[in-house]
């Protein structure tokens, strides 16, 4: 079945439209070239971004090694502590590991064994989140079209976190809203919050990424085949839960934001991503087309985003400190 078109807000320039820009070519220092693009310029990448041992972008995303940001290891033990013995919150772990990245070719990061959070999905989540506040021209101030309903009045919430039902729109036209549940969401500031966030999951979500993110391991890979890939809808909904507790419940620093496992991009991070999806082409000699050019595939976008983390570090790329996600500039 053919995909339905994307909604206007999520549409991106085609290859033909990018070719109308003043194109510059580069085979190294790619992030520097992207950073320095003028408004009327585009970039042709003249080198392969996917490591040679992977057949294609999809294989790379499913089989390459993520950046490990484990709060707990496979045995359930706390994997890292601060010098004073305290347990670091997720953003501290991300900062530590993002700043230590020395290999740009990662398929994402993992905050629990056998799961992956792709930077591309974090960026798309930010785009969905922004759109949910700006869907209609005269949308009421503060109205968000991601619906969350936490069931947090049970005594067990202190021990197991809350369950929350979610309704969130697709980025494509004529697709019904996704309806699913979050479980193990930490909402109370207590000694159980680290245990709860290590179990975080959703139930019942069935977007395309969730349906096709399964993999079979390569023969010499000792780890389990199963990996859970977090999608942009799940990430955006978690951030909406944070907003709910902050603005609807009046909690200045909700436990969910302290325990947030998903990297929130900065405006600088968004600006780079916008250049990747709207101003960048890849030279691919395997193509049958005369110009040998195509738009980047998702795995290539991921490599470029990790390249930006490698160059600019955590604070400039994925540490949103002041500006609200709903107020970012997403104009392509």
């Amino acid at each position: 079945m053919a995909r339905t078109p994307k909604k206007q807000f999520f549409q991106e320039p085609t290859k033909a439209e990018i070719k109308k820009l003043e194109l510059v070519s580069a085979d190294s220092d790619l992030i520097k070239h992207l950073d320095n693009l003028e408004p009327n310029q585009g970039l042709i990448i003249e080198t392969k971004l996917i490591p040679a041992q992977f057949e294609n972008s999809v294989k790379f995303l499913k089989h390459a090694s993520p950046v490990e940001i484990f709060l707990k290891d496979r045995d359930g033990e706390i994997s890292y502590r601060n010098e004073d013995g305290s347990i670091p919150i997720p953003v501290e772990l991300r900062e530590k590991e993002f700043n230590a990245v020395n290999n740009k070719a990662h398929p994402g990061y993992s905050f629990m064994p056998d799961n992956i959070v792709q930077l591309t999905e974090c960026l798309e989540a930010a785009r969905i989140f922004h759109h949910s506040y700006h869907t209609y021209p005269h949308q009421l101030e503060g109205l968000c079209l991601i619906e969350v309903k936490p069931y947090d009045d049970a005594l067990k919430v202190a021990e197991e976190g809350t369950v929350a039902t979610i309704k969130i729109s697709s980025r494509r036209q004529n697709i019904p809203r996704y309806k699913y549940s979050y479980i193990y969401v930490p909402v109370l500031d207590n000694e159980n919050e680290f245990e709860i966030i290590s179990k975080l999951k959703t139930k019942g979500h069935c977007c395309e990424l969730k349906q096709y993110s399964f993999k079979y391991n390569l023969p010499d890979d000792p780890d389990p085949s199963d990996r859970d890939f977090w999608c942009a809808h799940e990430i955006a909904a978690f951030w909406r839960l944070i907003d709910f507790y902050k603005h609807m419940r009046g909690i200045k620093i909700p436990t969910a934001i302290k325990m947030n496992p998903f990297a929130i991009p900065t405006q600088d991070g968004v600006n780079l991503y916008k250049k990747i999806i709207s101003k960048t082409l890849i030279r691919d000699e395997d193509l049958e087309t005369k110009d040998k050019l195509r738009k980047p595939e998702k795995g290539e976008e991921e490599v470029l985003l990790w390249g930006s983390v490698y160059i600019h570090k955590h604070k400039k790329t994925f540490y949103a400190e002041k500006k609200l996600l709903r107020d970012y500039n997403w104009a392509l």
Side-chain angles (χ1 to χ4, degrees), residues 118 121 207-214 229-231 298:
Q118 297 165 344
E121 293 299 312
C207 73
E208 189 173 13
L209 184 145
K210 301 298 285 187
Q211 285 181 301
Y212 294 103
S213 61
F214 61 86
F229 289 79
W230 292 86
C231 80
K298 187 177 180 182

Side-chain angles (χ1 to χ4, degrees), residues 11 53 58 72 74 81 86 93-94 120 122 151 165 171 173 178 191 235 250 270 291 315 323:
Q11 291 177 6
Q53 67 265 38
V58 173
K72 288 193 169 188
R74 294 182 188 277
R81 290 182 181 270
S86 62
L93 285 171
R94 285 198 299 275
T120 47
C122 291
Y151 294 81
T165 57
R171 283 161 285 183
Q173 299 173 21
Y178 297 113
E191 70 278 4
I235 298 169
V270 167
D291 60 15
K315 189 166 186 178
K323 196 170 184 180

Side-chain angles (χ1 to χ4, degrees), residues 38-312:
E38 298 292 337
N40 64 329
Q41 288 184 318
L43 177 66
I44 298 176
I45 295 177
E46 304 278 1
T47 187
K48 290 184 180 293
L49 296 177
I50 301 299
Q53 67 265 38
F54 300 103
E55 183 180 343
N56 53 44
S57 174
V58 173
K59 295 282 189 183
F60 164 74
L61 288 173
K62 290 190 176 185
H63 294 283
S65 298
V67 175
E68 294 185 350
I69 308 177
F70 294 167
L71 183 62
K72 288 193 169 188
D73 60 25
R74 294 182 188 277
D75 298 323
E77 299 296 325
I78 298 295
S79 56
Y80 178 79
R81 290 182 181 270
N82 295 321
E83 290 183 2
D84 62 2
S86 62
I87 304 172
I89 61 175
V91 70
E92 292 174 329
L93 285 171
R94 285 198 299 275
E95 181 173 28
K96 174 178 176 286
E97 299 300 336
F98 277 36
N99 287 342
V101 163
N102 56 17
N103 176 1
K104 306 167 195 176
H106 294 289
Y109 69 89
S110 180
F111 69 91
M112 295 183 289
D114 308 321
N115 75 98
I116 303 291
V117 180
Q118 297 165 344
L119 298 184
T120 47
E121 293 299 312
C122 291
L123 266 303
E124 284 298 309
R127 186 150 59 150
I128 291 170
F129 190 88
H130 175 92
H131 180 253
S132 71
Y133 281 95
H134 304 278
T135 306
Y136 303 114
H138 303 293
Q139 189 167 324
L140 292 175
E141 176 69 25
L143 176 63
C144 180
L145 298 186
I146 302 173
E147 292 185 30
V148 299
K149 185 177 181 180
Y151 294 81
D152 55 8
D153 56 355
L155 293 177
K156 272 289 189 180
V157 167
E159 193 177 317
E160 298 181 356
T162 192
V163 173
T165 57
I166 308 295
K167 295 179 182 178
I168 189 168
S169 297
S170 170
R171 283 161 285 183
R172 295 189 176 275
Q173 299 173 21
N174 304 318
I175 302 292
R177 287 199 297 175
Y178 297 113
K179 301 177 183 180
Y180 58 95
S181 299
Y182 251 108
I183 59 175
Y184 300 113
V185 180
V187 294
L188 297 180
D189 190 3
N190 62 25
E191 70 278 4
N192 297 317
E193 57 195 14
F194 294 97
E195 175 70 23
I196 294 168
I197 198 64
S198 70
K199 296 178 180 178
L200 184 71
K201 64 177 66 176
T202 62
K203 294 178 68 175
H205 184 39
C206 60
C207 73
E208 189 173 13
L209 184 145
K210 301 298 285 187
Q211 285 181 301
Y212 294 103
S213 61
F214 61 86
K215 77 177 183 74
Y216 291 103
N217 270 358
L218 301 174
D220 58 349
D221 191 341
D223 290 332
S225 286
D226 189 34
R227 271 182 172 178
D228 189 15
F229 289 79
W230 292 86
C231 80
H233 307 109
E234 294 171 309
I235 298 169
F238 190 90
W239 293 339
R240 173 57 183 145
L241 275 167
I242 293 171
D243 249 22
F244 175 88
Y245 278 96
K246 190 171 183 178
H247 299 291
M248 302 299 290
R249 295 284 177 84
I251 302 173
K252 187 174 181 180
I253 304 178
T255 298
I257 194 168
K258 186 173 73 169
M259 292 288 106
N260 169 41
F262 304 115
I264 302 177
T266 61
Q267 181 67 64
D268 284 336
V270 167
N271 290 343
L272 180 88
Y273 182 63
K274 291 195 298 181
K275 291 177 182 178
I276 293 171
I277 62 177
S278 68
K279 292 176 175 289
T280 303
L281 296 173
I282 302 284
R283 179 88 63 193
D284 187 344
E285 295 298 335
D286 293 332
L287 293 176
E288 295 181 359
T289 57
K290 184 177 180 180
D291 60 15
K292 303 292 184 182
L293 296 175
R294 58 170 173 78
K295 294 191 66 177
E297 295 170 349
K298 187 177 180 182
E300 293 163 330
E301 294 174 356
E302 191 74 20
V303 169
L304 290 169
L305 289 172
W306 281 107
S308 180
V309 170
Y310 173 77
I311 296 294
H312 295 305

